[in-house]
Amino acid sequence: VFDRGGYSPFTLIMEDSQNSRETAVKAVSKLADEDGVICIISLSEGVADEAAVNEAQRLNIPILTVTSQKDITTVGDYVFRNFPTNNRQITSLVKYAVEDAGSTRFAVFYPDNTYGREMKDLFLEEVLRCGGRIIKTQSYDATKADFNAALDALMSDEKTPGVSQGEPPKRRISIDALFIPDSYIHARSIAHQLARQKVQGVQLLGTSAWH
């Protein structure tokens, strides 16, 4: 549609919010009053996105947001969202895992940050609601590149003693699926380290951050 070599009935105008509330308000006001746009697509986050949404609603300009904030559309009739909320993501994911993939035994390997803890809690609640079992959960430091120690703690069956005192357990937990609510970069690294530990036959599940 926006091929520079061809004709298009549309004009794309871009403004930078600079992740600032004040700048976002000015940008929306300019797009509406000076440029006369018919719709705004907001790719901002946090306070800038909230400010843009409120200003667009005040000016009666439709705005399409790309955010997981679940209550963003309650601002008004001119606010739309083209992104699944965290709750909706987890509901769909667990439904697929249980009904389509036939998984019943789950583990969660999550980053020890706000996003990871929230997604872990939502996942645990939905799995239990659907009749599944949470075998184990384990957090890790997302600022580090090596997840082997945390993966060992996750996959080891703590009830099974080692051969000798002080030796780590030899038996692994039995799970159908492992939920990793982190970025695709970390998920890729974790999958690689799981393969090196010869963990096989486990479905890996993630969120939209894997995109």
Side-chain angles (χ1 to χ4, degrees):
V1 173
F2 299 104
D3 181 6
R4 292 184 178 182
Y7 167 76
S8 172
F10 302 103
T11 300
L12 181 64
I13 302 172
M14 291 180 284
E15 292 289 335
D16 185 2
S17 71
Q18 300 176 15
N19 201 29
S20 162
R21 181 184 297 274
E22 293 76 15
T23 306
V25 170
K26 291 179 180 178
V28 170
S29 179
K30 174 185 177 296
L31 290 169
D33 297 335
E34 298 181 23
D35 300 314
V37 300
I38 60 173
C39 180
I40 296 173
I41 301 175
S42 175
L43 303 179
S44 299
E45 299 179 353
V47 295
D49 190 47
E50 293 175 5
V53 162
N54 281 281
E55 183 66 6
Q57 176 65 32
R58 187 184 72 83
L59 297 172
N60 293 341
I61 297 293
I63 184 167
L64 180 64
T65 64
V66 184
T67 177
S68 61
Q69 186 176 335
K70 62 181 180 181
D71 58 350
I72 195 72
T73 56
T74 62
V75 172
D77 296 338
Y78 286 84
V79 182
F80 302 88
R81 178 183 57 234
N82 186 31
F83 198 90
T85 63
N86 291 343
N87 297 71
R88 184 169 295 180
Q89 284 189 61
I90 295 302
T91 299
S92 299
L93 179 66
V94 174
K95 184 176 185 295
Y96 159 78
V98 173
E99 297 184 6
D100 296 339
S103 300
T104 59
R105 298 166 60 86
F106 298 86
V108 183
F109 193 54
Y110 66 98
D112 191 14
N113 55 33
T114 302
Y115 179 79
R117 291 189 294 270
E118 178 184 357
M119 299 304 273
K120 180 260 297 184
D121 291 341
L122 290 173
F123 187 81
L124 264 59
E125 181 180 350
E126 187 63 19
V127 166
L128 295 177
R129 191 187 70 79
C130 292
R133 294 180 58 192
I134 299 296
I135 305 303
K136 201 169 184 181
T137 66
Q138 175 68 45
S139 65
Y140 58 86
D141 186 349
T143 64
K144 297 181 179 179
D146 188 348
F147 305 104
N148 275 310
L151 282 173
D152 282 338
L154 172 74
M155 299 304 298
S156 297
D157 186 347
E158 297 171 349
K159 297 180 181 179
T160 304
V163 175
S164 60
Q165 186 176 5
E167 186 173 340
K170 295 297 183 181
R171 182 180 174 185
R172 288 192 176 128
I173 59 172
S174 175
I175 57 175
D176 301 315
L178 175 61
F179 178 49
I180 309 171
D182 204 343
S183 70
Y184 71 92
I185 296 175
H186 285 166
R188 179 174 57 192
S189 178
I190 291 168
H192 177 68
Q193 292 181 33
L194 282 169
R196 291 185 62 182
Q197 292 187 17
K198 301 187 184 306
V199 175
Q200 299 177 342
V202 175
Q203 173 87 53
L204 301 185
L205 306 173
T207 67
S208 61
W210 283 21
H211 292 174

